[in-house]
């Protein structure tokens, strides 16, 4: 009987659900169903927690690091080298590149961010990245490229298993009643005459804060309309910023899903220098639910989406006029095109298939290495 493999996943805590956690969760859901693998998930936020979980890390035959800071990654990679562990680092994005592009970081912090990532990539033998664009970033800024000592695998983001679980749950419930209870009762200015737009902008990412600032500049276009933009993911509690914009703060994932399903559209006003490492989860979620996407080009970064085919380009419309005089047939066709794209390429089953192929390749390489030793 073959020995079961002990696989350890190091990822973010589930205290806050964001894109980093959802990708790590997809990794966990993929491997936990394998009968030949014993899986342990270690939520690690601070470097000291690496030491507190040292025994679990050392006992793992394979370690996957996904969605944690480069400092934590570097520490685990050092431990892995000492104990000869097979480690894969799953890179969601480059904090250094994102902050450099934002032009908002001091020289000292920029150096720290660079050093963080540089050490992590140099120590890595197996790197998984969320997009082909991220491969180029790693080479351009860190001189990291595949060779006989380093493997780079591309694993695009997908809709999360957790989001699909919530969609299945909502499919069998009275969504309207849940909407009235959870959302309308919280956001007291929402009624049946209001046009609701959702803007998910979790503050943990610099690009989202830049999109938030762009949104604030659009307020004048919305005055004297029945349009309400509901921002999620910034701060705690509800704040009514003005007559058009409501900051709902962090919402439980099921409430966020309800808000998305009942929104006329999702709006993503990312400026040109607000970059990311892979397709944004919120874009895939909107596509999965056939919620029209009103976005700048950078909002749909890393997605093979065409303007006026898969999304409405924010740069080419006046928002209030577009929403009030919406061509519903055209917008429905656009949202269905995006849904088709998501179902064709970005379902979690595809993520799992690609990840398992990567794991097979890495295991084969390590077994060949052990035979040579």
């Amino acid at each position: 009987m073959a020995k079961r493999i002990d696989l350890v996943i190091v990822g973010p805590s589930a205290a806050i659900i964001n894109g980093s956690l959802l990708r790590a969760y997809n990794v966990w859901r993929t491997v936990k169903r394998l009968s030949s693998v014993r899986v342990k998930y270690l939520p690690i936020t601070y470097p000291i927690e690496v030491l507190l979980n040292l025994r679990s890390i050392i006992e793992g035959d394979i370690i996957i690091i996904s969605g944690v800071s480069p400092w934590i990654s570097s520490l685990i990679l050092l431990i892995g080298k000492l104990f000869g562990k097979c480690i894969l680092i799953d890179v969601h994005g480059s904090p250094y590149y994102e902050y450099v592009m934002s032009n908002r970081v001091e020289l000292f912090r920029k150096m720290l961010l660079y050093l963080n990532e540089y050490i992590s990539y140099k120590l890595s033998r197996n790197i998984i990245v969320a997009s082909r664009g991220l491969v180029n970033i790693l080479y351009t800024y860190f001189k990291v490229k595949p060779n006989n000592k380093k493997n780079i695998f591309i694993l695009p983001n997908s809709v999360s298993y957790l989001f699909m679980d919530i969609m299945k749950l909502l499919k069998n419930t009275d969504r309207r009643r849940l909407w009235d209870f959870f959302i309308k009762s919280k956001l007291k200015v929402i009624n049946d005459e209001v046009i609701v737009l959702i803007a998910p902008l979790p503050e943990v990412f610099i690009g989202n804060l830049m999109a938030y600032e762009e949104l604030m500049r659009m307020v004048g276009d919305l005055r004297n309309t029945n349009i309400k933009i509901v921002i999620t993911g910034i701060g705690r509690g509800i704040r009514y910023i003005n007559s058009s914009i409501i900051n709902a703060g962090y919402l439980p994932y099921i409430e966020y899903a309800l808000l998305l399903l009942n929104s006329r559209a999702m709006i993503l006003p990312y400026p040109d220098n607000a970059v990311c490492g892979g397709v944004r989860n919120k874009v895939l979620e909107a596509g999965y639910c056939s919620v029209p996407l009103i976005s700048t080009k950078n909002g749909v970064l890393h997605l093979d989406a065409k303007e006026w085919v898969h999304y409405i380009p924010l740069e080419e419309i006046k928002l209030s006029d577009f929403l009030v005089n919406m061509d519903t047939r055209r917008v429905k066709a656009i949202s269905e095109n995006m849904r088709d794209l998501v179902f064709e390429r970005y379902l979690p089953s595809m993520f799992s298939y690609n990840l398992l192929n990567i794991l097979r390749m890495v295991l084969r390489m390590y077994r060949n290495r052990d035979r040579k030793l």
Side-chain angles (χ1 to χ4, degrees):
M1 186 176 176
K3 176 183 175 289
R4 291 181 77 185
I5 297 168
D6 286 307
L7 191 150
V8 175
I9 300 168
V10 177
S13 163
I16 293 176
I17 294 177
N18 56 37
S20 296
L21 175 68
L22 292 176
R23 184 172 166 97
Y25 180 81
N26 272 3
V27 172
W28 176 77
R29 278 282 290 265
T30 297
V31 297
K32 84 177 185 75
R33 62 192 181 198
L34 300 176
S35 59
S36 59
V37 175
R38 221 177 355 239
V39 182
K40 181 177 284 188
Y41 186 93
L42 299 179
I44 292 181
T45 306
Y46 304 103
I48 187 64
E49 293 175 305
V50 174
L51 301 179
L52 295 174
N53 288 281
L54 187 58
R55 182 174 177 178
S56 293
I57 293 168
I58 292 170
E59 288 175 349
D61 298 310
I62 302 172
I63 302 163
I64 300 176
I65 306 167
S66 181
V68 297
S69 80
W71 279 125
I72 292 170
S73 299
S74 298
L75 188 52
I76 295 170
L77 285 160
L78 278 170
I79 293 167
K81 279 200 174 290
L82 287 173
F83 290 90
K85 297 297 176 181
C86 173
I87 299 182
L88 296 89
I89 177 170
D90 180 26
V91 181
H92 301 194
S94 169
Y96 170 77
Y97 175 68
E98 290 169 23
Y99 273 91
V100 165
M101 289 296 290
S102 74
N103 298 316
R104 298 182 179 211
V105 63
E106 299 168 357
L107 179 61
F108 179 70
R109 180 167 171 75
K110 190 187 296 184
M111 290 169 61
L112 272 181
L113 284 168
Y114 183 84
L115 187 62
N116 268 354
E117 289 190 62
Y118 180 82
I119 294 171
S120 181
Y121 301 144
K122 282 298 176 183
L123 290 171
S124 302
R125 182 177 178 84
N126 300 295
I127 302 174
I128 300 172
V129 294
S131 68
R132 191 167 298 281
L134 202 45
V135 175
N136 298 331
I137 290 166
L138 263 58
Y139 177 71
T140 302
Y141 289 87
F142 303 96
K143 301 305 174 199
V144 174
K145 61 180 180 180
N147 52 45
N148 60 345
K149 293 185 178 179
K150 200 174 296 291
N151 306 303
I152 299 179
F153 307 97
I154 299 170
L155 179 62
N157 284 337
S158 76
V159 178
S160 72
Y161 280 108
L162 183 56
F163 186 79
M164 289 189 65
D165 289 344
I166 290 172
M167 289 298 106
K168 287 175 188 172
L169 177 68
L170 292 176
K171 187 178 179 180
N172 300 316
T173 57
D174 186 342
R175 287 194 340 221
R176 194 69 203 177
R177 185 174 293 180
L178 289 174
W179 163 257
D180 290 342
F181 181 78
F182 285 110
I183 307 299
K184 282 180 72 174
S185 62
K186 276 188 177 181
L187 310 178
K188 296 180 172 52
V189 295
I190 300 294
N191 56 55
D192 293 338
E193 284 72 47
V194 167
I195 298 172
V196 177
L197 273 71
I198 185 171
L201 303 172
E203 60 190 346
V204 291
F205 303 110
I206 184 67
N208 291 341
L209 296 178
M210 295 163 70
Y212 175 83
E213 291 169 5
E214 287 295 313
L215 197 57
M216 292 302 106
R217 296 187 186 103
M218 299 166 56
V219 173
D221 186 30
L222 304 178
R223 288 198 183 100
N224 303 316
T225 69
N226 63 338
I227 299 165
K228 304 288 182 189
I229 296 179
V230 181
I231 300 168
T232 65
I234 296 182
R236 300 281 178 181
I238 296 167
R239 288 184 293 128
Y240 298 92
I241 296 173
N242 54 48
S243 60
S244 304
I245 298 181
I246 306 164
N247 183 354
Y250 279 100
L251 292 176
Y253 205 18
I254 191 166
E255 292 186 21
Y256 162 76
L258 276 169
L259 182 59
L260 175 62
L261 287 167
N262 287 276
S263 295
R264 185 73 61 89
M266 178 181 285
I267 182 165
L268 299 176
Y270 287 90
D272 290 342
N273 58 338
V275 295
C276 58
V279 180
R280 303 180 198 273
N281 286 79
K282 66 199 85 180
V283 171
L284 299 177
E285 290 164 351
Y288 183 85
C289 297
S290 295
V291 174
L293 196 63
I294 303 173
S295 176
T296 58
K297 191 173 182 179
N298 263 31
V300 294
L301 208 58
H302 306 295
L303 188 71
D304 189 19
K306 298 179 177 63
E307 56 193 34
W308 294 114
V309 176
H310 300 100
Y311 71 100
I312 297 111
L314 186 55
E315 301 94 334
E316 297 182 20
I317 62 169
K318 184 179 180 185
L319 187 61
S320 58
D321 290 348
F322 178 81
L323 291 169
V324 171
N325 305 300
M326 185 182 283
D327 182 344
T328 53
R329 184 177 296 179
R330 186 183 189 189
V331 169
K332 185 180 179 184
I334 290 170
S335 64
E336 287 177 351
N337 288 339
M338 179 64 91
R339 179 177 167 84
D340 290 343
L341 179 62
V342 169
F343 271 70
E344 182 184 335
R345 302 185 193 178
Y346 298 100
L347 291 182
S349 56
M350 297 158 196
F351 179 94
S352 293
Y353 176 82
N354 292 327
L355 175 59
L356 290 174
N357 280 338
I358 291 169
L359 287 173
R360 287 188 193 101
M361 283 188 279
V362 171
L363 275 172
R364 199 177 298 125
M365 286 185 283
Y366 267 78
R367 282 169 181 161
N368 289 340
R369 184 200 68 174
D370 290 341
R371 285 193 195 104
K372 289 175 184 176
L373 293 174

